[in-house]
């Protein structure tokens, strides 16, 4: 088998910073494609992955992190569709089996034989080339700018899935908690495609400004205890909690109106939230979990960005040499929206 030599970032121990180094990459095998990576999105999930939260087997190392990669297919292995050559694609985050009942019915995030994640169990986009299974790439419109497209496969697709889970309708009054972050800033835009009544909660002036900039009312949620409303017309009918703390969950349950839906997305191991059935019963509130997005929803997310219905909010774009600075800004909560690594710089 021939190999390609490339210089990029790899993790050598879960929990430590990726290291810039030169290493070999095998050419695509059966059913695989080779991508020239153009850009890779950076959000909290990649930091969690590097920390080992999504898999910490030392046998997986060294590993190229980065699941939000955008690139052009330059080569395909045997049994992969040659029609993909030259196409711009985004990676689908989950390594799904493709043959279980959930995969066959378009509910890929619930795959019964999940093989792990891009950037954890297979190399991702923190290097200029990547080999993925053809089943793990989703073609996007060629007109989409690669950096803009870094938000498609997670930061926009996840909100598209939430909108479906919450069965959003034009009459809904939606509150998004943590609306200035990478998923939140796109969540409020996706919610606005269905209803005009959307409010974004967050805590820093930069994030509140960013929320207003995409045309959504921003409310400072530094002190949940004193937060009332926030709709004059009545209580929210949907609360999307991207923070997932006791304070945010308790506030949401109390704030929701009759028939309200609370959508949970966070997966913290050590953050339980107290619920009382009586509150759910008396107002017939529903608590919904929302896990990533289906492949069809990733394609829909690409269309929403390509047609300008959702504007990518990318607070910082860096060249490879500045990657670790971006990680630092993300950890401190200072980054507005998503970050991106641009391999063309
Ligand atoms: Zn499956």
């Amino acid at each position: 088998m021939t190999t390609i030599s490339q210089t990029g970032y790899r993790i050598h121990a879960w929990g430590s910073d990726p290291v810039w180094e030169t290493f070999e990459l095998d050419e695509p095998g059966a059913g695989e494609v080779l991508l020239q990576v153009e850009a890779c999105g950076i959000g909290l999930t990649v930091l969690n992955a590097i920390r080992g939260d999504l898999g910490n087997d030392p046998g997986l190392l060294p590993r190229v992190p980065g699941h939000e990669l955008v690139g052009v297919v330059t080569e395909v292995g045997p049994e992969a569709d040659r029609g993909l050559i030259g196409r711009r694609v985004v990676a689908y985050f989950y390594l799904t089996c493709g043959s279980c009942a959930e995969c066959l019915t378009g509910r890929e995030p619930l795959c019964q034989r999940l093989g792990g994640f891009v950037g954890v169990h297979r190399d991702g986009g923190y290097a200029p080339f990547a080999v993925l299974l053809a089943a793990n790439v989703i073609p996007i419109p060629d007109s989409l700018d690669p950096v803009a497209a870094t938000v498609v496969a997670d930061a926009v697709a996840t909100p598209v899935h939430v909108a479906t889970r919450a069965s959003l309708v034009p009459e809904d009054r939606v509150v998004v908690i943590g609306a200035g972050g990478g998923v939140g800033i796109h969540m409020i835009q996706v919610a606005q495609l269905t209803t005009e009544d959307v409010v974004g909660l967050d805590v820093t002036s930069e994030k509140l400004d960013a929320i207003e900039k995409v045309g959504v009312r921003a409310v400072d949620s530094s002190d949940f205890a004193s937060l009332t409303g926030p709709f004059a017309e009545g209580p929210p009918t949907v609360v999307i909690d991207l923070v997932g703390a006791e304070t945010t969950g308790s506030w949401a349950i109390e704030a929701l109106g009759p028939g309200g839906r609370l959508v949970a997305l966070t997966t913290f191991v050590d953050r339980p939230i107290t619920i009382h059935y009586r509150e759910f019963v008396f107002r017939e509130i529903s608590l919904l979990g929302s896990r990533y997005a289906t492949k069809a929803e990733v394609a829909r997310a690409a269309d929403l960005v390509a047609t300008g219905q959702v504007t990518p909010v990318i607070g910082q774009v860096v060249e490879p040499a500045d990657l670790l600075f971006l990680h630092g800004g993300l950890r401190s909560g200072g980054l507005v929206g998503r970050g991106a690594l641009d391999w063309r710089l």
Side-chain angles (χ1 to χ4, degrees):
M1 183 177 274
T2 47
T3 56
I4 304 157
S5 183
Q6 66 170 346
T7 304
Y9 284 100
R10 288 201 299 186
I11 310 165
H12 284 269
W14 297 110
S16 56
D17 279 336
V19 177
W20 179 254
E21 61 185 356
T22 300
F23 53 94
E24 305 290 316
L25 174 71
D26 288 336
E27 292 211 321
E32 292 181 333
V33 298
L34 173 68
L35 308 184
Q36 179 161 16
V37 182
E38 297 172 291
C40 186
I42 299 171
L44 287 172
T45 303
V46 75
L47 296 187
N48 296 341
I50 291 169
R51 207 165 55 207
D53 290 359
L54 302 178
N56 59 1
D57 182 348
L60 295 168
L61 300 169
R63 176 65 65 218
V64 179
H67 64 282
E68 297 176 294
L69 60 153
V70 179
V72 173
V73 177
T74 57
E75 219 177 289
V76 301
E79 296 159 42
D81 181 6
R82 292 195 62 77
L84 286 170
I85 293 174
R87 291 296 305 269
R88 178 165 288 139
V89 299
V90 295
Y92 185 73
F93 183 23
Y94 285 17
L95 300 169
T96 52
C97 79
S99 54
C100 72
E102 312 302 338
C103 283
L104 292 175
T105 52
R107 301 196 297 166
E108 296 92 352
L110 304 180
C111 174
Q112 294 164 22
R113 287 187 290 274
L114 190 64
F117 308 95
V118 172
V120 179
H121 300 85
R122 274 193 86 113
D123 286 345
Y126 276 25
F129 287 91
V131 171
L132 291 173
L133 282 170
N136 256 95
V137 301
I138 297 173
I140 61 170
D142 288 331
S143 60
L144 241 175
D145 171 75
V147 168
T150 57
V151 300
V152 164
D154 186 351
V156 179
T158 297
V160 169
H161 190 64
V162 169
T164 304
R165 291 288 293 144
S167 311
L168 287 189
V169 292
E171 294 74 26
D172 274 321
R173 292 183 292 275
V174 180
V175 172
V176 178
I177 305 176
V183 171
I185 200 75
H186 300 101
M187 183 70 248
I188 52 180
Q189 296 185 64
V190 169
Q192 267 202 321
L193 298 173
T194 303
T195 171
E196 289 175 2
D197 292 326
V198 181
V199 165
L201 307 188
D202 219 308
V203 293
T204 67
S205 57
E206 291 83 6
K207 288 181 174 174
L208 295 170
D209 286 348
I211 293 165
E212 303 246 316
K213 228 177 185 169
V214 297
V216 169
R217 187 152 63 91
V219 172
D220 189 332
S221 59
S222 307
D223 182 11
F224 266 99
S226 64
L227 191 65
T228 53
F231 296 102
E233 303 81 8
T237 58
V238 174
V239 176
I240 299 160
D241 184 3
L242 298 169
V243 174
E246 175 76 45
T247 44
T248 58
S250 301
W251 179 84
I253 292 165
E254 199 180 312
L256 277 169
R261 290 94 80 202
L262 169 59
V263 188
L265 285 93
T266 55
T267 57
F268 302 111
V269 177
D270 52 356
R271 279 203 212 168
I273 288 169
T274 307
I275 63 169
H276 297 278
Y277 279 164
R278 57 185 283 121
E279 299 191 70
F280 282 78
V281 172
F282 285 158
R283 277 173 287 143
E284 289 200 333
I285 295 171
S286 303
L287 173 59
L288 302 161
S290 185
R291 182 171 190 182
Y292 187 37
T294 68
K295 290 182 180 178
E297 285 163 343
V298 173
R300 165 99 179 116
D303 284 340
L304 291 176
V305 176
T307 54
Q309 295 179 77
V310 169
T311 303
V313 179
I314 299 168
Q316 196 177 8
V317 181
V318 295
E319 58 180 301
D322 293 333
L323 177 78
L324 298 181
F325 293 107
L326 201 163
H327 280 188
L330 188 58
R331 273 194 201 100
S332 66
L335 185 70
V336 174
R338 265 294 199 264
L341 168 63
D342 190 341
W343 281 104
R344 301 162 306 163
L345 293 176

